[in-house]
Amino acid sequence: MMDWTDRHCRAFHRVLSRRALLYTEMVTANAVIFGDRERLLGFSPAEHTLAVQLGGSDPAALAKAAAICAEWGYDEINLNVGCPSDRVQGGNFGACLMRDPALVAACVAAMKAAVALPVTVKCRIGVDEQDPEIALDALADGVLAAGADALIVHARKAWLEGLSPKENRDIPPLDYDRVHRLKARLPGVPVSLNGGIATLEAATAQLAHVDGVMLGRAAYQQPELLLRVDSLFFREQDPHADAFAAVVAFEPYVAAHLATGGRLHDITRHMLGLFTGRPGARAYRRHLATEGVKPEAGLDVLRAAVDEVRRAEERRALVA
Ligand SMILES: Cc1cc2nc3c(=O)[nH]c(=O)nc-3n(C[C@H](O)[C@H](O)[C@H](O)COP(=O)(O)O)c2cc1C
């Protein structure tokens, strides 16, 4: 998620689930080709299985960018056909490409020819005045004929005229049934659903209709829910008994970042949502927000923040 997630966030989420497929935020094809690749594409091996999401609409540039990402070791290339921001529309990519399935198909075909990795597409059900029954099928059929390996559908329209990107994530109504119908029509194609899924119970209910569920904001804002993903969806043991154990397991990553001159806050800003809803969560966040941002902040600050939750839970246990 642009401006929210980065490699540190993914490294943290990987500690919480070994099996969830992680995605980068969107990176434009031109940024990959001309930009600072270490900053844009660098990741730690622990983050696998990891998809990179590309933005663009020039098949040749996307093919080149996909080949570069394959060299960097990504496991999947995903094309963004869902982002509604002005910045993105100006470049003719993101959600406005829902209007041009043939161009998206050409992009997918070019990327497929350039890499041996799965190439997937994330799209909306339509934009503006489009009829989702027609628009989604047209996009899906085009990219599948071009070789796309899977689809992820954000189950609402994007209104490119008049709504901000943030409003476009909340205001157009969710239409899960439309995604279910797509999957029913394409039984052999992996289809994942995205949009408004806030709990693992809601994700489980969706899996009766689709093959996968993508969590955006909920995973970022309440990462603790990822701790049960492996047992619920992959029938494997969860990596950690609780969030306390997960933080301890994450400490070596944090220490390594600090040792190279990185700031604690680079990482802990992605951890503020941990412990949400528990006693002490506010004190935890406050400690990280005040002490964690100091240039000299170290692991002790993270530990002290976590202790706020531990102490609050102990107090509650004593009262009970
Ligand atoms: C801050 C922010 C940045 C986002 N950036 C991206 C992005 O780079 N690529 C993308 O496909 N979706 C992006 N999204 C959209 C989410 O991936 C997701 O489709 C949307 O939030 C709906 O799912 P959710 O209700 O689970 O969050 C972003 C969302 C937010 C809140």
Side-chain angles (χ1 to χ4, degrees), residues 1-4 24-26 53 78 80 83 122 154 156 169 194-197 214-218:
M1 290 184 279
M2 280 188 289
D3 301 328
W4 283 23
T24 70
E25 61 284 6
M26 183 178 74
Q53 187 185 64
N78 177 263
N80 183 315
C83 179
K122 177 163 180 252
H154 182 176
R156 55 163 60 91
R169 291 193 282 265
N194 166 245
I197 305 296
M214 173 186 267
L215 299 186
R217 289 165 291 190

Side-chain angles (χ1 to χ4, degrees), residues 32-261:
V32 171
I33 296 168
F34 301 113
D36 174 351
R37 289 188 193 154
E38 177 54 39
R39 188 177 62 79
L40 293 163
L41 298 180
F43 66 89
S44 105
E47 291 169 48
H48 287 295
T49 306
L50 180 60
V52 61
Q53 187 185 64
L54 295 177
S57 60
D58 172 3
L62 281 165
K64 196 166 178 182
I68 292 167
C69 292
E71 270 173 35
W72 276 72
Y74 284 93
D75 301 298
E76 171 185 322
I77 312 285
N78 177 263
L79 179 65
N80 183 315
V81 188
C83 179
S85 100
D86 290 344
R87 224 173 10 169
V88 165
Q89 281 183 63
N92 188 31
F93 49 82
C96 64
L97 288 174
M98 291 296 299
R99 294 188 203 285
D100 199 346
L103 178 58
V104 183
C107 294
V108 168
M111 291 191 286
K112 284 292 289 183
V115 298
L117 298 175
V119 173
T120 62
V121 174
K122 177 163 180 252
C123 65
R124 296 273 183 149
I125 60 172
V127 293
D128 295 333
E129 76 297 339
Q130 280 185 321
D131 176 350
E133 293 307 319
I134 298 168
L136 183 58
D137 280 353
L139 197 280
D141 291 347
V143 300
L144 291 169
D149 294 281
L151 303 170
I152 303 151
V153 187
H154 182 176
R156 55 163 60 91
K157 275 186 164 184
W159 293 340
L160 301 177
E161 302 291 335
L163 289 189
S164 71
K166 185 171 186 304
E167 289 169 331
N168 258 316
R169 291 193 282 265
D170 285 316
I171 292 179
L174 286 161
D175 186 353
Y176 294 145
D177 287 347
R178 177 65 192 93
V179 186
H180 301 169
R181 285 196 294 281
L182 178 77
K183 172 62 202 177
R185 192 174 70 81
L186 302 169
V189 177
V191 174
S192 294
L193 178 144
N194 166 245
I197 305 296
T199 63
L200 297 189
E201 288 66 34
T204 303
Q206 288 299 330
L207 290 175
H209 305 280
V210 291
D211 305 290
V213 176
M214 173 186 267
L215 299 186
R217 289 165 291 190
Y220 191 84
Q221 290 164 343
Q222 298 165 56
E224 201 164 349
L225 62 79
L226 296 174
L227 271 174
R228 289 189 301 130
V229 162
D230 294 0
S231 58
L232 266 180
F233 302 118
F234 297 95
R235 309 217 173 283
E236 290 182 11
Q237 207 182 348
D238 291 318
H240 304 290
D242 57 26
F244 296 110
V247 173
V248 171
F250 192 43
E251 282 188 4
Y253 181 92
V254 181
H257 179 66
L258 296 172
T260 59

